[in-house]
Amino acid sequence: MKKDKDASTEEKIIEAARKVFTRKGYAATRTRDIAQESGLNLALLNYYFRSKEKLFEIIMAEKVVQLFGTIAPIVNNMDTSLEKKAGDIADAYITMLVNNPGLPLFVLSEIRNNPQMFGDKIHAGKILTESYFVKQIQERRPDINPLHLMLNLLGMSIFPFICQPVLEGANVITGRAFESLVAERKNLIGIWFNALLEA
Amino acid sequence: MKKDKDASTEEKIIEAARKVFTRKGYAATRTRDIAQESGLNLALLNYYFRSKEKLFEIIMAEKVVQLFGTIAPIVNNMDTSLEKKAGDIADAYITMLVNNPGLPLFVLSEIRNNPQMFGDKIHAGKILTESYFVKQIQERRPDINPLHLMLNLLGMSIFPFICQPVLEGANVITGRAFESLVAERKNLIGIWFNALLEA
DNA sequence: GTCTATAACCTGATAGAC
DNA sequence: GTCTATCAGGTTATAGAC
């Protein structure tokens, strides 16, 4: 884990851009915010990255991989059971999202704002339709569209983080308590998913 | 259902603002976009609503009520069982969201972008902690934080709509097929929620 | 490579004719 | 009430000194 102390100027800008873009979205962030957050000045952003848009594309590509790539190795593992995979997926997502709580809302909003910009760039399609995990679901429950169960599993893992700003704002559950709650879910979701497989 | 033909100028602007704000979010919409969408000119927006921000506040307040108010009458109904309520909530949300698929992503993003602006304005707190529905969950499963089951139920209902732009963009499921899929869930979610209650 | 100053452009809001 | 033209301020990007 490199720290700011010895980070290159380029890396300082990237790190600041990560923070600001993911917190406020593309349209609402000002390049001045990124410059200030990085402790550097505005001109350097263009010196290193040519434009706000180019800088954004770098961050966005990185975040798309982070969101959709987290479970890629799990869903195509041919050596684990359906039940094990479900638990692994929940665990992987929650562990990653506790450190990046704003990630899903950021990526999904930006895709909404610019649908044509992605499309093919997202391997979510493969995970949701062609993965070994989906095949295992189909074998177990040939009577139901496997997408239903995928959405339930991903929703149970990711949805709490999408709601976090509301839960915080409405004082339903905040800070550490929220983190404890989602940590509990690492184990519960596997159990719940099994129940859904039987239902 | 009034149509544009006899809608007042004020209503034309509101209707255009609804469309543009919910599709692109506050920061990314230009008042010019709203003017064009309404078929009117820029100056009229300020004539009727003073500023972009005031116009936005009207739309946002409306959308917050739409998102959080949809299930308010259901969760406090003292005459229905836990199981019935779960099915009713799924049905109410999905029915409403098929006509407003972008609503959750819009409202949740804007709250993230401006957390302090809301906070108290959202009765989500009451629904998630003080509703009769939550009491019924606690009675049935005193061993688990009822928020877990609320998040699962709301996630199963709402999460597919949050993913819709990705599902469309990655060609996983589009248009009519998506609508059929979520329609199926109106009945399935009640069954699934019962399974979670037992798990 | 890094900075300050500024150009070029865009956006929200208004003035004023009709 | 509605429109065109325009202002004032902010934002991205660049020029040019160091």
Side-chain angles (χ1 to χ4, degrees):
Chain A
M1 258 312 225
K2 270 203 201 170
K3 268 299 176 196
D4 280 21
K5 209 52 172 297
D6 53 357
S8 70
T9 298
E10 195 172 336
E11 189 52 43
K12 275 184 199 162
I13 295 172
I14 287 270
E15 182 54 35
R18 259 194 280 268
K19 254 194 201 165
V20 182
F21 276 136
T22 53
R23 192 193 308 131
K24 317 213 294 180
Y26 177 78
T29 95
R30 310 286 93 120
T31 51
R32 280 169 169 77
D33 301 339
I34 297 175
Q36 184 165 24
E37 176 73 37
S38 71
L40 302 163
N41 70 80
L42 197 48
L44 286 171
L45 304 213
N46 294 293
Y47 178 80
Y48 281 97
F49 300 99
R50 231 178 73 94
S51 73
K52 178 188 175 184
E53 202 178 338
K54 296 274 179 214
L55 180 53
F56 175 75
E57 278 165 16
I58 293 171
I59 306 300
M60 184 66 183
E62 183 186 300
K63 293 298 171 185
V64 165
V65 169
Q66 203 173 358
L67 184 59
F68 296 109
T70 293
I71 61 167
I74 298 170
V75 294
N76 286 312
N77 185 336
M78 300 189 59
D79 299 327
T80 54
S81 69
L82 186 49
E83 288 80 359
K84 173 85 163 73
K85 277 195 188 63
D88 287 351
I89 289 170
D91 190 301
Y93 259 132
I94 292 171
T95 300
M96 186 269 288
L97 291 175
V98 164
N99 295 315
N100 302 274
L103 178 64
L105 207 40
F106 167 72
V107 172
L108 296 171
S109 306
E110 296 300 334
I111 289 175
R112 173 201 62 169
N113 292 354
N114 232 330
Q116 77 290 2
M117 228 186 95
F118 310 94
D120 54 336
K121 291 197 183 177
I122 297 169
H123 28 297
K126 303 245 173 207
I127 290 173
L128 292 170
T129 57
E130 297 170 25
S131 68
Y132 186 64
F133 183 56
V134 171
K135 286 190 177 51
Q136 287 178 301
I137 293 175
Q138 278 173 315
E139 260 175 52
R140 181 73 65 89
R141 289 297 301 260
D143 59 314
I144 193 175
N145 186 333
L147 194 48
H148 278 308
L149 291 164
M150 290 299 295
L151 286 170
N152 291 349
L153 176 58
L154 298 179
M156 289 192 291
S157 306
I158 297 173
F159 187 70
F161 293 93
I162 293 175
C163 292
Q164 196 199 14
V166 170
L167 299 176
E168 292 263 351
N171 257 296
V172 173
I173 187 165
T174 61
R176 291 267 170 74
F178 176 79
E179 287 185 22
S180 300
L181 187 87
V182 293
E184 277 178 35
R185 296 175 74 86
K186 285 188 193 178
N187 299 314
L188 290 170
I189 290 174
I191 297 167
W192 288 328
F193 187 75
N194 286 345
L196 295 182
L197 279 177
E198 310 291 334
Chain B
M1 251 321 219
K2 270 205 204 171
K3 268 298 174 195
D4 279 21
K5 210 50 174 299
D6 54 355
S8 70
T9 298
E10 195 173 335
E11 189 52 43
K12 277 184 198 160
I13 295 171
I14 288 270
E15 183 53 35
R18 258 194 280 267
K19 253 194 200 162
V20 182
F21 276 136
T22 54
R23 193 192 308 131
K24 318 214 293 180
Y26 177 79
T29 95
R30 310 287 95 120
T31 51
R32 281 168 171 77
D33 302 338
I34 296 175
Q36 183 164 25
E37 175 74 36
S38 71
L40 302 164
N41 70 79
L42 195 51
L44 287 171
L45 303 212
N46 294 292
Y47 177 79
Y48 280 98
F49 299 99
R50 232 177 72 95
S51 72
K52 177 187 177 185
E53 202 178 341
K54 296 275 179 212
L55 180 53
F56 175 76
E57 279 166 13
I58 293 171
I59 306 299
M60 184 65 183
E62 184 187 299
K63 294 298 172 186
V64 165
V65 169
Q66 204 173 359
L67 184 59
F68 297 109
T70 293
I71 61 166
I74 298 170
V75 295
N76 286 312
N77 185 335
M78 299 189 59
D79 299 328
T80 54
S81 69
L82 185 50
E83 289 81 358
K84 174 85 164 73
K85 278 195 187 64
D88 287 352
I89 289 170
D91 191 300
Y93 260 133
I94 292 170
T95 299
M96 185 271 287
L97 292 176
V98 165
N99 296 314
N100 303 274
L103 178 63
L105 206 40
F106 168 70
V107 172
L108 296 171
S109 304
E110 295 301 332
I111 290 174
R112 174 204 60 170
N113 292 353
N114 232 329
Q116 76 291 1
M117 230 185 93
F118 310 93
D120 55 337
K121 291 197 184 179
I122 296 171
H123 27 298
K126 301 245 170 203
I127 288 174
L128 292 170
T129 58
E130 297 171 25
S131 67
Y132 187 64
F133 183 56
V134 171
K135 285 189 178 53
Q136 287 177 300
I137 293 176
Q138 278 172 315
E139 260 175 51
R140 182 74 65 89
R141 291 296 301 260
D143 58 314
I144 192 176
N145 187 333
L147 193 49
H148 278 309
L149 291 164
M150 290 299 296
L151 286 170
N152 292 348
L153 176 59
L154 298 178
M156 290 192 291
S157 306
I158 297 173
F159 187 69
F161 294 92
I162 293 174
C163 292
Q164 196 200 14
V166 171
L167 300 176
E168 292 264 351
N171 257 295
V172 174
I173 188 166
T174 61
R176 292 265 171 74
F178 176 79
E179 288 185 20
S180 300
L181 187 88
V182 293
E184 278 178 33
R185 295 175 73 87
K186 285 188 193 180
N187 298 314
L188 289 170
I189 291 173
I191 297 167
W192 289 328
F193 187 75
N194 285 346
L196 296 182
L197 280 177
E198 308 292 335

